[in-house]
Amino acid sequence: MYILVSGTKGSYDRPIELSIDGTYATEEEASEDIMKYVPIYKEGIIEAIQNKEEYYQEGAFDCPIYFGYSEKGNLIHFTTGCPIDNEYDGETYSIFKVGE
């Protein structure tokens, strides 16, 4: 079984909020569902995922979006915001395999 976990972080010292957004029988099913959370309004982001790029950045001053893929090539992680610069909000979505 696979679970999709999201974490959101407000700017500065706001707390991190975690939640389970779905459970799935297969990694492929979970990877398909994580796509509904990807900010696809940004031009070129779908192409970046299709090319298995590790990050996407629209402009020189925009915060990048980081991606992670499984050994099968499925999208299993992405994070937005600027985690190093605590000034901005950010979201993270990750797929985890649980149980056996």
Side-chain angles (χ1 to χ4, degrees):
M1 178 165 72
Y2 295 82
I3 60 171
L4 173 60
V5 175
S6 65
T8 59
K9 166 78 171 75
S11 57
Y12 300 107
D13 293 329
R14 294 193 175 108
I16 297 171
E17 297 177 18
L18 298 173
S19 63
I20 296 175
D21 295 318
T23 59
Y24 311 91
T26 66
E27 179 183 291
E28 290 77 13
E29 184 184 18
S31 182
E32 194 174 296
D33 201 40
I34 199 174
M35 286 298 295
K36 71 182 179 186
Y37 299 101
V38 174
I40 57 172
Y41 60 85
K42 290 182 178 266
E43 194 173 318
I45 202 161
I46 297 299
E47 184 177 321
I49 292 169
Q50 290 171 342
N51 292 334
K52 307 292 185 242
E53 295 178 20
E54 292 183 17
Y55 72 92
Y56 171 81
Q57 189 167 4
E58 194 168 307
F61 298 104
D62 289 337
C63 292
I65 299 172
Y66 294 92
F67 302 105
Y69 305 92
S70 70
E71 291 179 3
K72 297 178 184 179
N74 295 316
L75 177 67
I76 59 168
H77 172 84
F78 79 90
T79 190
T80 67
C82 294
I84 295 172
D85 186 353
N86 199 21
E87 183 176 345
Y88 300 101
D89 296 356
E91 297 178 313
T92 297
Y93 290 85
S94 292
I95 296 168
F96 297 93
K97 184 176 183 178
V98 295
E100 274 302 313

